[in-house]
Amino acid sequence: YCAMGNGHDDDGLPASAGLSSFNLLEERKLFDSLGLFPGMTLLDLGCGLGNYAVAASPHVGEGIIHALDAWEEGIETLAVRTEIGRLTNIRACVADVADGPLPFADSSIDLALLATVAHILVREAVFHKTLAELRRVLRPEGRLAVVEFHKVDVPPGPPVEWRLAPDELADIAASAGFQPYSCVDVGPLNYLSLFTLRF
C-alpha cells in the first residue's frame, strides 16, 4: 500500500519486501464475503500493485473496478498487468485521497474496498476525511469493505501498535456514519469488516 506515496505496498511493508496482504488471505472466503456481482462498480482505494483488483476482475465482469493509489510505480505496474491480462474492466489511476476529493460523482460506487489501508489512513490522520468522501461516492445501498490485520504481534504486517482491532475500526466507521453488519476472518492474520451507509 502507498496511498500516501511512501513506497510501501498494501500491507504496510516496504514494496521491496515483495509481499502483499492478498497473498495471506483465503481468496474464496474473501470473495464469498464481499458479494461482488457482474456489472457492479468497485473502488479499490489504496490498491498498491493491484492484487485485489486483478483477482476481483472476473467477479465484476462487465462492471468497472477503479483502482486508485498515490504510488505511481504501483499504478504503472497495475496498468501493465491489466494490459497483459486484457483486464478491460480495471481503471488504474494515480490519486491521493489526502490531497482532495475522489474523482467520482456522488452515489456512483457500489462497493469501496480498503485492503490493509485503514491503519495507514488513521496514522496519517486522514481516515475521517476518507470516510466522508466514501460516504459521498457510495450509492445509498452501497457498502464499505475493510480488510485489516488482527491486533496481534505476529508478522508479517504493520507493527502491532499500528493495527486496528475490529471494534476500534467499527467505532471509527460508526462515527462517520457507517453501520457495521459483518466481520469475518479471511485468513489466519486478517479480517474483513463490512459496513453499510447509515442515514
Side-chain angles (χ1 to χ4, degrees), residues 171-188:
D171 286 346
I172 297 170
S175 71
F178 287 89
Q179 177 70 45
Y181 73 89
S182 176
C183 184
V184 296
D185 286 340
V186 288

Side-chain angles (χ1 to χ4, degrees), residues 93-104:
C93 178
V94 177
D96 189 342
V97 70
D99 286 342
L102 293 170
F104 306 110

